[in-house]
Amino acid sequence: HGTTILAVRKGNEIVLAGDGQVSLGQTVIKSNARKVRRIGDGSVLAGFAGATADAQLHHDAHRSADRRE
């Protein structure tokens, strides 16, 4: 079991993709996690493992809420 992150480069173009499943043992916890994200100033693409991708989503949501206050 594990996260699959796939990168393909052709010339100056790159595609980065990942599965969207977060699981705990045999149980699927979430089926639509965003595991490929832009980080920093947006110029860096990164792939995250399932639980980390989910934690990043929660972190971003809290950060966004803090900015609105």
Side-chain angles (χ1 to χ4, degrees):
H1 302 136
T3 291
T4 300
I5 302 294
L6 176 68
V8 177
R9 180 176 132 189
K10 182 178 180 183
N12 290 330
E13 296 184 10
I14 298 172
V15 174
L16 192 60
D19 69 314
Q21 184 170 296
V22 177
S23 56
L24 181 61
Q26 298 296 321
T27 305
V28 175
I29 305 296
K30 189 172 188 175
S31 62
N32 62 346
R34 209 171 120 213
K35 295 183 182 180
V36 176
R37 306 175 140 266
R38 290 186 179 274
I39 60 174
D41 64 1
S43 64
V44 177
L45 288 174
F48 294 92
T52 304
D54 210 31
Q56 185 67 40
L57 173 69
H58 292 291
H59 175 267
D60 291 349
H62 287 287
R63 210 167 123 187
S64 180
D66 287 345
R67 287 183 185 154
R68 287 191 300 259
E69 291 179 357

Short mmCIF file of all heavy atoms in Angstrom, two decimals:
data_model
loop_
_atom_site.label_atom_id
_atom_site.label_comp_id
_atom_site.label_asym_id
_atom_site.label_seq_id
_atom_site.Cartn_x
_atom_site.Cartn_y
_atom_site.Cartn_z
N HIS A 1 0.84 -1.18 0.00
CA HIS A 1 0.00 0.00 0.00
C HIS A 1 0.88 1.23 0.00
O HIS A 1 1.91 1.26 0.64
CB HIS A 1 -0.91 0.03 1.21
CG HIS A 1 -1.79 -1.18 1.28
ND1 HIS A 1 -1.99 -1.85 2.45
CD2 HIS A 1 -2.51 -1.82 0.36
CE1 HIS A 1 -2.81 -2.85 2.23
NE2 HIS A 1 -3.14 -2.85 0.96
N GLY A 2 0.42 2.27 -0.67
CA GLY A 2 1.19 3.50 -0.68
C GLY A 2 0.62 4.50 -1.65
O GLY A 2 -0.32 4.21 -2.39
N THR A 3 1.20 5.65 -1.63
CA THR A 3 0.79 6.73 -2.51
C THR A 3 1.58 6.64 -3.81
O THR A 3 2.77 6.37 -3.81
CB THR A 3 1.06 8.09 -1.84
OG1 THR A 3 0.15 8.22 -0.76
CG2 THR A 3 0.87 9.25 -2.79
N THR A 4 0.90 6.87 -4.90
CA THR A 4 1.56 6.92 -6.19
C THR A 4 1.57 8.35 -6.68
O THR A 4 0.52 8.98 -6.79
CB THR A 4 0.81 6.04 -7.23
OG1 THR A 4 0.80 4.70 -6.76
CG2 THR A 4 1.47 6.11 -8.58
N ILE A 5 2.75 8.88 -6.90
CA ILE A 5 2.94 10.19 -7.51
C ILE A 5 3.71 9.95 -8.80
O ILE A 5 4.76 9.31 -8.78
CB ILE A 5 3.72 11.17 -6.60
CG1 ILE A 5 3.03 11.36 -5.26
CG2 ILE A 5 3.95 12.50 -7.31
CD1 ILE A 5 1.69 12.06 -5.32
N LEU A 6 3.18 10.42 -9.90
CA LEU A 6 3.79 10.18 -11.20
C LEU A 6 4.15 11.52 -11.84
O LEU A 6 3.32 12.44 -11.86
CB LEU A 6 2.81 9.42 -12.10
CG LEU A 6 3.24 9.17 -13.54
CD1 LEU A 6 4.40 8.19 -13.57
CD2 LEU A 6 2.07 8.64 -14.35
N ALA A 7 5.36 11.61 -12.35
CA ALA A 7 5.79 12.81 -13.07
C ALA A 7 6.23 12.41 -14.47
O ALA A 7 6.92 11.40 -14.65
CB ALA A 7 6.95 13.49 -12.34
N VAL A 8 5.81 13.19 -15.46
CA VAL A 8 6.20 12.96 -16.85
C VAL A 8 6.71 14.28 -17.41
O VAL A 8 6.05 15.32 -17.25
CB VAL A 8 5.01 12.46 -17.70
CG1 VAL A 8 5.42 12.29 -19.15
CG2 VAL A 8 4.46 11.16 -17.13
N ARG A 9 7.86 14.23 -18.04
CA ARG A 9 8.42 15.44 -18.64
C ARG A 9 8.65 15.20 -20.13
O ARG A 9 9.19 14.18 -20.53
CB ARG A 9 9.74 15.78 -17.98
CG ARG A 9 10.37 17.03 -18.55
CD ARG A 9 11.61 17.38 -17.80
NE ARG A 9 12.66 17.63 -18.74
CZ ARG A 9 13.92 17.81 -18.43
NH1 ARG A 9 14.30 17.72 -17.18
NH2 ARG A 9 14.80 18.05 -19.34
N LYS A 10 8.22 16.17 -20.93
CA LYS A 10 8.48 16.14 -22.37
C LYS A 10 8.93 17.53 -22.75
O LYS A 10 8.15 18.48 -22.68
CB LYS A 10 7.23 15.74 -23.14
CG LYS A 10 7.47 15.65 -24.64
CD LYS A 10 6.25 15.20 -25.38
CE LYS A 10 6.56 15.14 -26.87
NZ LYS A 10 5.37 14.77 -27.63
N GLY A 11 10.19 17.64 -23.11
CA GLY A 11 10.74 18.96 -23.42
C GLY A 11 10.71 19.84 -22.19
O GLY A 11 11.23 19.47 -21.14
N ASN A 12 10.06 20.99 -22.29
CA ASN A 12 9.97 21.92 -21.17
C ASN A 12 8.67 21.81 -20.40
O ASN A 12 8.38 22.64 -19.55
CB ASN A 12 10.14 23.36 -21.66
CG ASN A 12 11.56 23.64 -22.12
OD1 ASN A 12 12.50 23.04 -21.62
ND2 ASN A 12 11.70 24.52 -23.09
N GLU A 13 7.86 20.80 -20.70
CA GLU A 13 6.58 20.65 -20.03
C GLU A 13 6.62 19.46 -19.07
O GLU A 13 7.20 18.43 -19.37
CB GLU A 13 5.46 20.47 -21.05
CG GLU A 13 5.28 21.71 -21.91
CD GLU A 13 4.11 21.58 -22.86
OE1 GLU A 13 3.33 20.61 -22.71
OE2 GLU A 13 3.98 22.43 -23.73
N ILE A 14 5.99 19.64 -17.91
CA ILE A 14 5.95 18.59 -16.89
C ILE A 14 4.52 18.41 -16.42
O ILE A 14 3.79 19.37 -16.23
CB ILE A 14 6.83 18.97 -15.68
CG1 ILE A 14 8.29 19.11 -16.11
CG2 ILE A 14 6.69 17.94 -14.56
CD1 ILE A 14 9.19 19.66 -15.03
N VAL A 15 4.14 17.16 -16.24
CA VAL A 15 2.85 16.82 -15.65
C VAL A 15 3.14 16.03 -14.38
O VAL A 15 3.96 15.11 -14.38
CB VAL A 15 2.00 15.96 -16.62
CG1 VAL A 15 0.73 15.49 -15.94
CG2 VAL A 15 1.68 16.74 -17.87
N LEU A 16 2.48 16.40 -13.29
CA LEU A 16 2.63 15.71 -12.02
C LEU A 16 1.23 15.30 -11.56
O LEU A 16 0.32 16.13 -11.52
CB LEU A 16 3.27 16.65 -10.99
CG LEU A 16 3.77 16.08 -9.68
CD1 LEU A 16 4.85 15.04 -9.91
CD2 LEU A 16 4.33 17.20 -8.81
N ALA A 17 1.05 14.03 -11.25
CA ALA A 17 -0.27 13.53 -10.86
C ALA A 17 -0.14 12.55 -9.70
O ALA A 17 0.91 11.94 -9.52
CB ALA A 17 -0.94 12.83 -12.04
N GLY A 18 -1.22 12.44 -8.93
CA GLY A 18 -1.22 11.50 -7.82
C GLY A 18 -2.60 10.91 -7.60
O GLY A 18 -3.60 11.47 -8.05
N ASP A 19 -2.64 9.77 -6.93
CA ASP A 19 -3.93 9.18 -6.59
C ASP A 19 -4.59 10.05 -5.52
O ASP A 19 -3.96 10.92 -4.96
CB ASP A 19 -3.76 7.74 -6.10
CG ASP A 19 -3.07 7.66 -4.76
OD1 ASP A 19 -2.05 8.34 -4.58
OD2 ASP A 19 -3.55 6.92 -3.89
N GLY A 20 -5.85 9.80 -5.23
CA GLY A 20 -6.56 10.65 -4.28
C GLY A 20 -7.07 9.93 -3.06
O GLY A 20 -7.96 10.41 -2.38
N GLN A 21 -6.48 8.76 -2.77
CA GLN A 21 -7.03 7.95 -1.69
C GLN A 21 -6.18 8.01 -0.42
O GLN A 21 -4.97 7.89 -0.48
CB GLN A 21 -7.11 6.49 -2.16
CG GLN A 21 -7.74 5.56 -1.16
CD GLN A 21 -8.01 4.22 -1.78
OE1 GLN A 21 -8.80 4.12 -2.70
NE2 GLN A 21 -7.34 3.20 -1.30
N VAL A 22 -6.86 8.23 0.71
CA VAL A 22 -6.22 8.17 2.02
C VAL A 22 -6.81 6.95 2.73
O VAL A 22 -8.02 6.83 2.84
CB VAL A 22 -6.49 9.43 2.86
CG1 VAL A 22 -5.87 9.32 4.24
CG2 VAL A 22 -5.98 10.67 2.14
N SER A 23 -5.95 6.05 3.19
CA SER A 23 -6.46 4.84 3.83
C SER A 23 -5.74 4.59 5.15
O SER A 23 -4.63 5.07 5.38
CB SER A 23 -6.31 3.63 2.91
OG SER A 23 -4.97 3.47 2.52
N LEU A 24 -6.41 3.83 5.98
CA LEU A 24 -5.85 3.39 7.26
C LEU A 24 -6.02 1.88 7.26
O LEU A 24 -7.14 1.38 7.42
CB LEU A 24 -6.60 4.04 8.42
CG LEU A 24 -6.13 3.69 9.82
CD1 LEU A 24 -4.68 4.10 10.02
CD2 LEU A 24 -7.01 4.37 10.85
N GLY A 25 -4.93 1.18 7.00
CA GLY A 25 -5.04 -0.27 6.83
C GLY A 25 -5.84 -0.57 5.58
O GLY A 25 -5.54 -0.08 4.50
N GLN A 26 -6.90 -1.35 5.72
CA GLN A 26 -7.75 -1.70 4.59
C GLN A 26 -8.92 -0.75 4.41
O GLN A 26 -9.73 -0.91 3.50
CB GLN A 26 -8.28 -3.13 4.78
CG GLN A 26 -7.19 -4.18 4.82
CD GLN A 26 -6.43 -4.27 3.50
OE1 GLN A 26 -7.02 -4.18 2.43
NE2 GLN A 26 -5.13 -4.43 3.58
N THR A 27 -9.05 0.25 5.29
CA THR A 27 -10.19 1.16 5.26
C THR A 27 -9.85 2.46 4.54
O THR A 27 -8.87 3.12 4.87
CB THR A 27 -10.65 1.50 6.70
OG1 THR A 27 -10.90 0.29 7.39
CG2 THR A 27 -11.88 2.37 6.70
N VAL A 28 -10.66 2.81 3.55
CA VAL A 28 -10.48 4.08 2.84
C VAL A 28 -11.11 5.18 3.69
O VAL A 28 -12.31 5.16 3.97
CB VAL A 28 -11.13 4.05 1.44
CG1 VAL A 28 -11.04 5.42 0.78
CG2 VAL A 28 -10.47 2.99 0.58
N ILE A 29 -10.29 6.13 4.13
CA ILE A 29 -10.74 7.23 4.96
C ILE A 29 -11.27 8.37 4.09
O ILE A 29 -12.24 9.03 4.41
CB ILE A 29 -9.60 7.75 5.86
CG1 ILE A 29 -8.99 6.63 6.69
CG2 ILE A 29 -10.05 8.91 6.73
CD1 ILE A 29 -9.92 6.00 7.68
N LYS A 30 -10.59 8.61 2.98
CA LYS A 30 -10.96 9.70 2.08
C LYS A 30 -10.60 9.29 0.66
O LYS A 30 -9.53 8.73 0.43
CB LYS A 30 -10.21 10.97 2.48
CG LYS A 30 -10.66 12.20 1.77
CD LYS A 30 -9.98 13.42 2.38
CE LYS A 30 -10.58 14.67 1.79
NZ LYS A 30 -10.06 15.85 2.43
N SER A 31 -11.46 9.57 -0.28
CA SER A 31 -11.21 9.14 -1.66
C SER A 31 -10.86 10.28 -2.60
O SER A 31 -10.61 10.05 -3.77
CB SER A 31 -12.42 8.39 -2.20
OG SER A 31 -13.54 9.26 -2.23
N ASN A 32 -10.83 11.51 -2.08
CA ASN A 32 -10.56 12.65 -2.98
C ASN A 32 -9.53 13.61 -2.41
O ASN A 32 -9.66 14.82 -2.56
CB ASN A 32 -11.86 13.38 -3.30
CG ASN A 32 -12.53 13.96 -2.07
OD1 ASN A 32 -12.17 13.62 -0.94
ND2 ASN A 32 -13.49 14.84 -2.26
N ALA A 33 -8.49 13.09 -1.78
CA ALA A 33 -7.43 13.94 -1.24
C ALA A 33 -6.63 14.58 -2.37
O ALA A 33 -6.45 13.99 -3.44
CB ALA A 33 -6.49 13.12 -0.36
N ARG A 34 -6.17 15.79 -2.14
CA ARG A 34 -5.34 16.50 -3.13
C ARG A 34 -3.88 16.29 -2.75
O ARG A 34 -3.36 16.94 -1.84
CB ARG A 34 -5.70 17.99 -3.08
CG ARG A 34 -5.49 18.67 -4.39
CD ARG A 34 -6.07 20.06 -4.34
NE ARG A 34 -4.98 20.97 -4.61
CZ ARG A 34 -4.86 22.17 -4.10
NH1 ARG A 34 -5.75 22.63 -3.28
NH2 ARG A 34 -3.84 22.91 -4.42
N LYS A 35 -3.21 15.38 -3.42
CA LYS A 35 -1.84 15.01 -3.05
C LYS A 35 -0.76 15.74 -3.84
O LYS A 35 0.40 15.64 -3.52
CB LYS A 35 -1.67 13.50 -3.20
CG LYS A 35 -2.54 12.72 -2.24
CD LYS A 35 -2.28 11.24 -2.37
CE LYS A 35 -3.18 10.45 -1.46
NZ LYS A 35 -2.92 9.01 -1.60
N VAL A 36 -1.15 16.43 -4.89
CA VAL A 36 -0.21 17.24 -5.65
C VAL A 36 -0.60 18.69 -5.44
O VAL A 36 -1.73 19.08 -5.67
CB VAL A 36 -0.23 16.89 -7.16
CG1 VAL A 36 0.68 17.81 -7.94
CG2 VAL A 36 0.17 15.44 -7.37
N ARG A 37 0.36 19.50 -4.95
CA ARG A 37 0.06 20.90 -4.61
C ARG A 37 1.20 21.81 -5.03
O ARG A 37 2.34 21.39 -5.10
CB ARG A 37 -0.11 21.05 -3.10
CG ARG A 37 -1.10 20.13 -2.51
CD ARG A 37 -1.11 20.27 -0.99
NE ARG A 37 -2.48 20.19 -0.55
CZ ARG A 37 -3.27 21.23 -0.34
NH1 ARG A 37 -2.83 22.44 -0.50
NH2 ARG A 37 -4.51 21.07 0.04
N ARG A 38 0.85 23.05 -5.24
CA ARG A 38 1.87 24.09 -5.44
C ARG A 38 2.27 24.60 -4.05
O ARG A 38 1.40 24.80 -3.20
CB ARG A 38 1.32 25.25 -6.25
CG ARG A 38 1.07 24.88 -7.69
CD ARG A 38 0.65 26.11 -8.49
NE ARG A 38 0.44 25.75 -9.86
CZ ARG A 38 1.41 25.71 -10.79
NH1 ARG A 38 2.64 26.02 -10.46
NH2 ARG A 38 1.14 25.38 -12.03
N ILE A 39 3.54 24.77 -3.83
CA ILE A 39 4.00 25.26 -2.53
C ILE A 39 4.89 26.49 -2.73
O ILE A 39 5.29 26.81 -3.85
CB ILE A 39 4.75 24.17 -1.73
CG1 ILE A 39 5.97 23.65 -2.48
CG2 ILE A 39 3.79 23.02 -1.39
CD1 ILE A 39 6.81 22.68 -1.68
N GLY A 40 5.20 27.14 -1.61
CA GLY A 40 6.01 28.35 -1.66
C GLY A 40 5.27 29.44 -2.39
O GLY A 40 4.11 29.71 -2.12
N ASP A 41 5.93 30.04 -3.36
CA ASP A 41 5.31 31.12 -4.14
C ASP A 41 4.48 30.57 -5.30
O ASP A 41 4.03 31.32 -6.16
CB ASP A 41 6.37 32.09 -4.65
CG ASP A 41 7.35 31.45 -5.63
OD1 ASP A 41 7.21 30.25 -5.93
OD2 ASP A 41 8.26 32.15 -6.08
N GLY A 42 4.28 29.26 -5.34
CA GLY A 42 3.49 28.64 -6.39
C GLY A 42 4.30 28.08 -7.53
O GLY A 42 3.76 27.46 -8.44
N SER A 43 5.60 28.28 -7.51
CA SER A 43 6.44 27.82 -8.61
C SER A 43 6.97 26.40 -8.40
O SER A 43 7.63 25.86 -9.27
CB SER A 43 7.61 28.78 -8.82
OG SER A 43 8.45 28.77 -7.68
N VAL A 44 6.68 25.80 -7.24
CA VAL A 44 7.16 24.45 -6.93
C VAL A 44 5.96 23.52 -6.81
O VAL A 44 5.00 23.82 -6.10
CB VAL A 44 7.96 24.44 -5.61
CG1 VAL A 44 8.38 23.04 -5.25
CG2 VAL A 44 9.18 25.36 -5.71
N LEU A 45 6.01 22.39 -7.50
CA LEU A 45 5.00 21.35 -7.37
C LEU A 45 5.54 20.27 -6.45
O LEU A 45 6.70 19.88 -6.56
CB LEU A 45 4.66 20.73 -8.72
CG LEU A 45 3.87 21.57 -9.69
CD1 LEU A 45 3.75 20.85 -11.03
CD2 LEU A 45 2.49 21.87 -9.14
N ALA A 46 4.71 19.77 -5.55
CA ALA A 46 5.13 18.72 -4.63
C ALA A 46 4.05 17.67 -4.51
O ALA A 46 2.86 17.97 -4.59
CB ALA A 46 5.42 19.32 -3.25
N GLY A 47 4.46 16.44 -4.31
CA GLY A 47 3.54 15.34 -4.08
C GLY A 47 3.62 14.92 -2.63
O GLY A 47 4.71 14.80 -2.07
N PHE A 48 2.46 14.73 -2.00
CA PHE A 48 2.39 14.38 -0.59
C PHE A 48 1.74 13.02 -0.42
O PHE A 48 0.80 12.69 -1.14
CB PHE A 48 1.56 15.41 0.19
CG PHE A 48 2.18 16.76 0.24
CD1 PHE A 48 1.88 17.71 -0.72
CD2 PHE A 48 3.07 17.10 1.25
CE1 PHE A 48 2.46 18.98 -0.68
CE2 PHE A 48 3.64 18.36 1.30
CZ PHE A 48 3.34 19.30 0.34
N ALA A 49 2.20 12.26 0.57
CA ALA A 49 1.56 10.98 0.90
C ALA A 49 0.19 11.25 1.51
O ALA A 49 -0.08 12.34 1.99
CB ALA A 49 2.43 10.19 1.88
N GLY A 50 -0.68 10.25 1.50
CA GLY A 50 -2.08 10.38 1.87
C GLY A 50 -2.38 11.17 3.13
O GLY A 50 -3.06 12.19 3.07
N ALA A 51 -1.91 10.72 4.28
CA ALA A 51 -2.24 11.40 5.54
C ALA A 51 -1.65 12.80 5.57
O ALA A 51 -2.28 13.73 6.08
CB ALA A 51 -1.73 10.58 6.72
N THR A 52 -0.49 12.97 5.01
CA THR A 52 0.13 14.30 4.96
C THR A 52 -0.67 15.22 4.05
O THR A 52 -0.84 16.40 4.34
CB THR A 52 1.59 14.20 4.47
OG1 THR A 52 2.29 13.30 5.31
CG2 THR A 52 2.26 15.54 4.47
N ALA A 53 -1.16 14.70 2.94
CA ALA A 53 -2.00 15.51 2.03
C ALA A 53 -3.26 15.97 2.76
O ALA A 53 -3.68 17.12 2.62
CB ALA A 53 -2.36 14.69 0.80
N ASP A 54 -3.86 15.09 3.53
CA ASP A 54 -5.07 15.43 4.28
C ASP A 54 -4.75 16.47 5.36
O ASP A 54 -5.49 17.43 5.55
CB ASP A 54 -5.68 14.18 4.90
CG ASP A 54 -7.18 14.28 5.03
OD1 ASP A 54 -7.80 14.96 4.19
OD2 ASP A 54 -7.72 13.68 5.96
N ALA A 55 -3.64 16.29 6.05
CA ALA A 55 -3.23 17.26 7.07
C ALA A 55 -2.96 18.62 6.44
O ALA A 55 -3.32 19.66 7.01
CB ALA A 55 -1.99 16.76 7.80
N GLN A 56 -2.37 18.64 5.26
CA GLN A 56 -2.10 19.90 4.56
C GLN A 56 -3.39 20.61 4.22
O GLN A 56 -3.50 21.83 4.33
CB GLN A 56 -1.29 19.64 3.28
CG GLN A 56 -0.85 20.88 2.57
CD GLN A 56 0.16 21.69 3.34
OE1 GLN A 56 1.06 21.13 3.96
NE2 GLN A 56 0.03 23.00 3.31
N LEU A 57 -4.42 19.86 3.81
CA LEU A 57 -5.72 20.43 3.50
C LEU A 57 -6.30 21.12 4.74
O LEU A 57 -6.77 22.26 4.66
CB LEU A 57 -6.68 19.33 3.04
CG LEU A 57 -8.14 19.76 2.85
CD1 LEU A 57 -8.26 20.71 1.67
CD2 LEU A 57 -9.02 18.55 2.67
N HIS A 58 -6.23 20.47 5.90
CA HIS A 58 -6.74 21.07 7.13
C HIS A 58 -5.93 22.30 7.53
O HIS A 58 -6.49 23.31 7.95
CB HIS A 58 -6.75 20.04 8.26
CG HIS A 58 -7.75 18.96 8.05
ND1 HIS A 58 -9.11 19.18 8.11
CD2 HIS A 58 -7.60 17.66 7.74
CE1 HIS A 58 -9.74 18.07 7.87
NE2 HIS A 58 -8.84 17.11 7.63
N HIS A 59 -4.62 22.23 7.36
CA HIS A 59 -3.76 23.37 7.66
C HIS A 59 -4.13 24.56 6.79
O HIS A 59 -4.27 25.69 7.27
CB HIS A 59 -2.30 22.97 7.43
CG HIS A 59 -1.35 24.11 7.60
ND1 HIS A 59 -0.95 24.89 6.54
CD2 HIS A 59 -0.74 24.62 8.69
CE1 HIS A 59 -0.12 25.82 6.97
NE2 HIS A 59 0.02 25.69 8.27
N ASP A 60 -4.30 24.32 5.49
CA ASP A 60 -4.66 25.40 4.56
C ASP A 60 -6.01 26.01 4.91
O ASP A 60 -6.19 27.22 4.84
CB ASP A 60 -4.69 24.89 3.12
CG ASP A 60 -3.31 24.55 2.60
OD1 ASP A 60 -2.30 24.89 3.26
OD2 ASP A 60 -3.24 23.94 1.52
N ALA A 61 -6.97 25.17 5.30
CA ALA A 61 -8.30 25.66 5.66
C ALA A 61 -8.23 26.56 6.90
O ALA A 61 -8.85 27.62 6.93
CB ALA A 61 -9.24 24.49 5.92
N HIS A 62 -7.45 26.17 7.89
CA HIS A 62 -7.32 26.99 9.09
C HIS A 62 -6.58 28.29 8.79
O HIS A 62 -6.94 29.35 9.30
CB HIS A 62 -6.58 26.21 10.20
CG HIS A 62 -7.43 25.15 10.81
ND1 HIS A 62 -8.47 25.41 11.65
CD2 HIS A 62 -7.38 23.81 10.69
CE1 HIS A 62 -9.03 24.29 12.02
NE2 HIS A 62 -8.39 23.28 11.45
N ARG A 63 -5.57 28.20 7.95
CA ARG A 63 -4.81 29.40 7.58
C ARG A 63 -5.71 30.39 6.83
O ARG A 63 -5.66 31.58 7.07
CB ARG A 63 -3.64 28.97 6.70
CG ARG A 63 -2.44 29.86 6.83
CD ARG A 63 -1.28 29.19 6.20
NE ARG A 63 -0.79 30.09 5.18
CZ ARG A 63 0.15 29.80 4.32
NH1 ARG A 63 0.68 28.63 4.32
NH2 ARG A 63 0.54 30.69 3.47
N SER A 64 -6.52 29.86 5.94
CA SER A 64 -7.44 30.69 5.18
C SER A 64 -8.46 31.36 6.10
O SER A 64 -8.79 32.53 5.95
CB SER A 64 -8.14 29.83 4.13
OG SER A 64 -9.03 30.61 3.38
N ALA A 65 -8.97 30.60 7.07
CA ALA A 65 -9.94 31.15 8.03
C ALA A 65 -9.29 32.25 8.88
O ALA A 65 -9.92 33.27 9.15
CB ALA A 65 -10.48 30.03 8.92
N ASP A 66 -8.04 32.05 9.26
CA ASP A 66 -7.33 33.07 10.06
C ASP A 66 -7.16 34.37 9.28
O ASP A 66 -7.24 35.45 9.83
CB ASP A 66 -5.95 32.55 10.48
CG ASP A 66 -6.02 31.49 11.57
OD1 ASP A 66 -7.09 31.35 12.19
OD2 ASP A 66 -5.02 30.80 11.77
N ARG A 67 -6.94 34.27 7.98
CA ARG A 67 -6.76 35.48 7.14
C ARG A 67 -8.05 36.27 7.02
O ARG A 67 -8.02 37.48 6.83
CB ARG A 67 -6.27 35.08 5.75
CG ARG A 67 -4.85 34.63 5.73
CD ARG A 67 -4.40 34.32 4.34
NE ARG A 67 -3.07 33.77 4.34
CZ ARG A 67 -2.60 32.98 3.41
NH1 ARG A 67 -3.34 32.64 2.39
NH2 ARG A 67 -1.38 32.52 3.50
N ARG A 68 -9.20 35.57 7.09
CA ARG A 68 -10.49 36.25 6.96
C ARG A 68 -10.87 36.99 8.23
O ARG A 68 -11.72 37.86 8.20
CB ARG A 68 -11.57 35.25 6.59
CG ARG A 68 -11.47 34.77 5.16
CD ARG A 68 -12.69 33.99 4.75
NE ARG A 68 -12.91 32.81 5.56
CZ ARG A 68 -12.61 31.57 5.21
NH1 ARG A 68 -12.05 31.34 4.05
NH2 ARG A 68 -12.86 30.55 6.01
N GLU A 69 -10.29 36.64 9.35
CA GLU A 69 -10.67 37.27 10.63
C GLU A 69 -10.03 38.62 10.80
O GLU A 69 -9.13 39.05 10.26
CB GLU A 69 -10.27 36.37 11.80
CG GLU A 69 -11.12 35.12 11.84
CD GLU A 69 -10.73 34.20 12.98
OE1 GLU A 69 -9.77 34.49 13.72
OE2 GLU A 69 -11.39 33.18 13.15
#
